[in-house]
Amino acid sequence: MRRVSAQKWIGGKWRPRLATIVVAILIMVMALPLVGLFFFRLYENQLIRQTEAELIAQGEALAAIYAWDVREAGIPAERLGAPMPAEASEYPSRSTEPDPRYRPIEPSLDLASDSVLPTRPAAVAASLDPVFAAIGARLSGILDATQKTTLAGFRLLDPRGVVIAGREEVGQSLAGVEEVREALAGRYASALRPRIPDQPAPPLYSVSRGTKVRVFVAMPVAVDGKVAGVVYLSRTPNNIVKHLYGERGKVTLAAIAILGGTLLIGFVFLRTVSRPIYALMERTERIAAGDRTAIRPLDHHGTREMAELSAAFLDMAEKLHARSDSIQTFATHVSHELKSPLTAIQGAAELLRDSGTAMDEAERKRFSNNIVTDAGRLNLLVRRLLDLARAENLAPSGETTSMGAALALLPVDKRLAVHVEAGGDTGLRISGESAAIVLANLIDNSARHGASAVSLTASSADGKATVLVSDDGAGISPSNRDRIFEPFFTTRRDSGGTGMGLGIVLALLKAHDGTIRLVDSGRGTRFEIILPVA
């Protein structure tokens, strides 16, 4: 329990689990369709446009019948209304089509952009033209029968906006209604107005704005290029909840599909992301506890990124363990190398202290010389350790030099002759100081092994420079070839060797993306150094 609490409160802050975040996101994704339906009214808006399209179709059919009756009645043009707009011709306010024979009226109402107008103004008293009243009387039966099926409200208006057919308001004028006024001018118009219900709406329906608005459509009727009347229609859109209930089978299948898809996404995520992460966390704990068997690939990576992360982590763990082993070995060697001279110094000092007058001057001088010699060895070891530490922590400076320039920085070694056979001006991507340290250690190593001459050769190819350092000394025995780069390994300890020269060389070259290895030669020792070309 404490472990779980610690994981949640890392850094003094509560942090949720990855699985919790994913589940929350999936729940939000599943809820988005409902949010869109009830809060953004996407589906509701579609129902309103569907209602407008149905009213346009019904109104167009009634307009064609009404126009036919007007022509049959032989009503003169001067008794008709305003001229139709030139661009509308016989078909007002319709979208332009490539084929002039087809000019459909597209639904245009939108809950997001269209405001809901106030309640429709009441009709006002007006005189009824007997000719148009006769046409309205003939069409009243058609309107009544149509209304029973479509549940829409129908009214036929003459060119002055007076109702000539419809259940109510016959003989009254609707010319003051905004959408009717547009239609009397020859333009199609539609509007959203509040619905006045006959009875209180059920509480469940109150979430839908569709039950509170009514769609009104006013279509001008064109005869001989003039407005012969208006077909005025209205209807309440379907309630969204009622419509969804009517489509409950499809809605249920959609909900099952969404739920199934969400669960599948969650399973895939847990399988490919969450599970490998928890496995890697478990490996981390085991490695931290010292279990080296945990440094192996995961059984299941899931994704390429997880595989790369796991490989990088395990590679880092292997390097850290290797470095830990190296530090432990290094500490053992250091303690051994420092212990011997310290023991000798302590023993000689104690003898000098306790001997009193019993020790003659020659013995005192011998023990004093031993102390000085061992102290000098300690001093040399400390300097070499500092050189090795600086070499291992050296960052590339980006400087360049050549083999000849590096040799010029070295003092003349009188123990042996050094000469450059070829490639003295070959550029090396390493600083002159570091290159001089490398060459100095190799030359010193040759001198300590009895060489009388050292030859240097450099060449470059494919962005790499190869430097061969050869001597004519005693060479290196096969049994020691694999250990020469180990710290503190030396065969010349009695002559002051520390066994750290080649270790410093290797560390400096690694810091500059270089390598060194021992290669076979007919006589003496030959090292091959590879560095990037300047």
Side-chain angles (χ1 to χ4, degrees):
M1 187 70 181
R2 289 194 300 269
R3 177 180 173 185
V4 173
S5 177
Q7 290 176 346
K8 289 183 177 180
W9 292 90
I10 293 176
K13 295 182 179 180
W14 182 85
R15 290 176 171 84
R17 295 170 64 92
L18 180 62
T20 304
I21 296 176
V22 173
V23 170
I25 292 175
L26 293 178
I27 292 175
M28 291 177 61
V29 170
M30 286 193 298
L32 281 179
L34 294 178
V35 172
L37 287 176
F38 290 103
F39 293 96
F40 295 101
R41 304 192 298 274
L42 300 177
Y43 197 77
E44 189 177 357
N45 196 59
Q46 183 62 28
L47 292 179
I48 288 178
R49 290 200 172 187
Q50 177 184 346
T51 301
E52 183 184 4
E54 293 173 356
L55 292 178
I56 290 172
Q58 297 163 13
E60 184 67 22
L62 292 176
I65 297 174
Y66 177 67
W68 174 270
D69 281 0
V70 169
R71 292 190 184 93
E72 287 295 315
I75 299 175
E78 58 270 13
R79 296 183 63 181
L80 300 179
M84 295 291 294
E87 66 275 7
S89 184
E90 295 279 330
Y91 304 90
S93 300
R94 307 183 185 191
S95 61
T96 303
E97 293 288 333
D99 190 342
R101 296 176 299 171
Y102 304 104
R103 298 177 183 175
I105 300 176
E106 298 293 342
S108 58
L109 292 177
D110 192 331
L111 279 174
S113 58
D114 294 334
S115 58
V116 179
L117 301 179
T119 304
R120 198 207 74 185
V124 296
S127 60
L128 189 61
D129 189 319
V131 178
F132 287 100
I135 297 176
R138 287 196 301 270
L139 297 179
S140 293
I142 297 176
L143 296 184
D144 292 342
T146 304
Q147 186 171 6
K148 291 178 181 178
T149 303
T150 63
L151 304 181
F154 295 93
R155 289 168 180 80
L156 285 180
L157 283 62
D158 67 9
R160 295 180 296 117
V162 178
V163 179
I164 59 174
R167 288 188 174 181
E168 302 95 8
E169 302 174 321
V170 175
Q172 298 179 350
S173 174
L174 294 175
V177 179
E178 181 177 340
E179 55 269 27
V180 173
R181 189 165 56 249
E182 288 289 316
L184 290 175
R187 292 182 291 271
Y188 166 81
S190 59
L192 290 173
R193 294 184 181 277
R195 176 193 176 216
I196 303 177
D198 297 333
Q199 56 186 359
L204 181 62
Y205 290 177
S206 62
V207 298
S208 172
R209 184 177 171 185
T211 59
K212 295 182 179 181
V213 297
R214 190 171 178 87
V215 178
F216 288 81
V217 167
M219 301 186 62
V221 180
V223 174
D224 297 332
K226 287 190 174 184
V227 176
V230 174
V231 180
Y232 191 39
L233 311 93
S234 64
R235 182 182 171 185
T236 302
N238 281 336
N239 173 269
I240 184 172
V241 177
K242 178 180 178 181
H243 191 82
L244 290 178
Y245 180 77
E247 301 288 343
R248 58 187 178 277
K250 297 178 182 178
V251 172
T252 302
L253 290 177
I256 293 174
I258 293 174
L259 180 61
T262 304
L263 293 177
L264 179 62
I265 293 173
F267 173 77
V268 171
F269 178 86
L270 292 176
R271 178 81 176 173
T272 59
V273 178
S274 184
R275 178 180 172 186
I277 288 177
Y278 291 134
L280 192 59
M281 291 169 58
E282 186 265 342
R283 291 287 180 87
T284 304
E285 295 176 357
R286 290 173 55 190
I287 293 173
D291 184 3
R292 298 199 175 189
T293 61
I295 305 179
R296 56 184 176 83
L298 297 179
D299 298 329
H300 180 78
H301 289 107
T303 63
R304 181 184 302 174
E305 290 78 8
M306 244 351 268
E308 293 177 354
L309 175 62
S310 172
F313 172 78
L314 295 177
D315 181 62
M316 179 188 68
E318 288 180 353
K319 290 181 179 179
L320 288 177
H321 273 289
R323 189 170 184 83
S324 177
D325 293 341
S326 176
I327 291 174
Q328 184 177 359
T329 304
F330 186 80
T332 302
H333 284 304
V334 168
S335 63
H336 175 74
E337 291 294 329
L338 296 179
K339 182 179 181 180
S340 297
L342 282 174
T343 302
I345 291 173
Q346 182 180 4
E350 290 175 352
L351 286 173
L352 289 173
R353 181 194 64 188
D354 299 336
S355 62
T357 58
M359 185 179 293
D360 57 23
E361 187 63 27
E363 288 181 332
R364 287 180 178 277
K365 186 174 183 180
R366 179 166 61 86
F367 283 119
S368 297
N369 289 336
N370 288 343
I371 292 174
V372 172
T373 301
D374 288 329
R377 178 168 178 77
L378 283 176
N379 188 30
L380 177 61
L381 279 172
V382 171
R383 289 202 311 269
R384 301 296 272 176
L385 285 172
L386 290 174
D387 290 340
L388 180 61
R390 280 194 292 265
E392 289 183 341
N393 293 280
L394 182 66
S397 62
E399 299 179 31
T400 61
T401 188
S402 65
M403 190 168 57
L407 281 175
L409 298 176
L410 299 179
V412 178
D413 195 329
K414 297 181 179 181
R415 296 174 295 176
L416 74 177
V418 180
H419 59 277
V420 178
E421 291 187 355
D425 57 349
T426 301
L428 308 174
R429 195 178 301 170
I430 185 173
S431 65
E433 180 183 1
S434 297
I437 294 174
V438 170
L439 293 178
N441 279 283
L442 293 179
I443 293 171
D444 179 71
N445 188 68
S446 297
R448 290 178 180 274
H449 288 79
S452 61
V454 173
S455 62
L456 305 174
T457 304
S459 61
S460 61
D462 300 328
K464 298 290 184 180
T466 302
V467 179
L468 295 178
V469 182
S470 307
D471 64 33
D472 58 355
I476 300 174
S477 64
S479 60
N480 293 332
R481 293 173 68 91
D482 295 334
R483 302 185 59 194
I484 59 175
F485 292 105
E486 294 180 6
F488 304 105
F489 175 76
T490 179
T491 58
R492 296 290 186 271
R493 196 174 303 277
D494 54 349
S495 61
T498 61
M500 299 176 65
L502 291 180
I504 294 173
V505 168
L506 179 62
L508 281 173
L509 293 175
K510 280 187 175 179
H512 292 83
D513 297 326
T515 60
I516 183 172
R517 68 187 184 98
L518 184 65
V519 296
D520 295 329
S521 61
R523 179 187 175 189
T525 304
R526 176 176 294 171
F527 289 99
E528 180 188 68
I529 299 172
I530 297 179
L531 281 166
V533 173

